[in-house]
Amino acid sequence: MVLLDAPRRRGLAHAAVLSCLVVTAACRSSAPAVERAPAPRSEASEGMRDGEHRVVVDGVELWYRVAGRATDGVPPVVFLHGGPGQGSAHFDALAGPRLEPTLRMVYFDQRGSGHSERPASNEYTIERLVDDIEGLRKHLGATRIALVAHSFGGVLALEYAAKHPERTAAVVFASGLWDAPGQCALRLQRVARYRPALYARVQGDTLNADGSRRSDCAVELAAFPTREERAAWDTEAMYPDPAVEARIDSVNAAHGIRNTGEIGRALFSSGLLRYRFAAFDRLTMPVLVIAGGRDRAVAAEGLRALAERLPDGRFVEYERSGHFVYLDEPERFARDVTALVTAAARR
């Protein structure tokens, strides 16, 4: 299923909610203390100094924050959030402290998200978002970067790695989107299993007015007659532990950010629900594909199929996790990411 990680009750468009394959006191002040790496001193590495930064790419001001330490030769790790439009604050606050002792982390807000600018042009194509990542890499002064991508961010990680394989050291693809039609079909199966009465309303309504077949994404949307029922399903599908959603909301509120839905509307209207990644052979770097065993938004079998198509793909299922694997099993996630990135540095 497509991913939209922002809370549904924020008034996002109904289609954006579907894509939801899209923090109790949980801000960084309550997270484990992390010893900070000293800020880089050279002029060439100014973009990698500790703290918050802003960089202008294609006329749009993008925000990111750098923290953590890594041994020589280990590439910086750029986090690509989901949504579309969720922002990186919750990952920074809740997952970052476990990664920063061994990795140099870059928490990046995509255009139209978090603290980054909403472009007046409303340009939110996948190609433009991928080029923003390359603009960020150049500003960081990094020869290579590793990518940790969640949900919708998985689209950007795959497309960036395919376009710039020589610049991509490794990819962590967590609960991500790569085949919207196929993943929607698996998600509709879960509606049939867990909401049989609702599924019965639409299971025979599979044709559009012109006789063409309705997509599984559209059929699933139609199964829920009210916004409230849809929101309840999305919460249940993504959060086996409801406290995880509350922690995410808490962090975002503390930072004064919210998903406005602008980027989501632009991407969905331009066909995100038809997206399929195809350039498997271009991803020559190690790719770790992580699925949540209790995630009903992104089915584990769909993610396993991606790993099997990649030259150096590996699949792992976190049995106790929902959609936010890095918050449901944070210690395991940190170990896996650290091991992948540090091993990739030796390649």
Side-chain angles (χ1 to χ4, degrees), residues 11-152:
L12 299 182
H14 204 56
V17 171
L18 168 65
S19 106
C20 213
L21 296 193
V22 234
V23 210
T24 87
C27 297
R28 179 167 293 277
S29 59
S30 64
V34 175
E35 182 182 1
R36 299 297 185 191
R41 298 179 181 273
S42 69
E43 183 177 348
S45 60
E46 180 65 15
M48 279 298 298
R49 73 180 190 279
D50 281 355
E52 298 183 11
H53 300 253
R54 293 185 182 273
V55 56
V56 176
V57 178
D58 188 42
V60 176
E61 187 177 72
L62 304 175
W63 181 97
Y64 69 96
R65 196 181 80 85
V66 177
R69 63 170 67 244
T71 57
D72 289 344
V74 176
V77 179
V78 176
F79 174 66
L80 300 177
H81 60 77
Q86 186 180 42
S88 64
H90 77 283
F91 187 93
D92 180 349
L94 301 174
R98 290 182 170 86
L99 296 166
E100 292 169 17
T102 52
L103 298 174
R104 191 78 167 146
M105 296 299 302
V106 180
Y107 307 106
F108 173 52
D109 285 351
Q110 299 150 28
R111 60 171 57 202
S113 310
H115 298 295
S116 288
E117 184 179 358
R118 275 70 176 159
S121 64
N122 200 39
E123 185 181 2
Y124 290 115
T125 64
I126 291 173
E127 294 78 11
R128 180 62 264 168
L129 292 163
V130 167
D131 288 345
D132 286 348
I133 299 169
E134 176 62 1
L136 171 67
R137 182 200 64 78
K138 291 177 179 178
H139 182 71
L140 296 175
T143 302
R144 296 195 303 165
I145 56 176
L147 301 173
V148 172
H150 178 245
S151 199
F152 164 72

Side-chain angles (χ1 to χ4, degrees), residues 330-345:
E331 293 85 3
R332 182 179 183 183
F333 181 83
R335 288 196 304 270
D336 285 348
V337 171
T338 300
L340 182 77
V341 176
T342 53

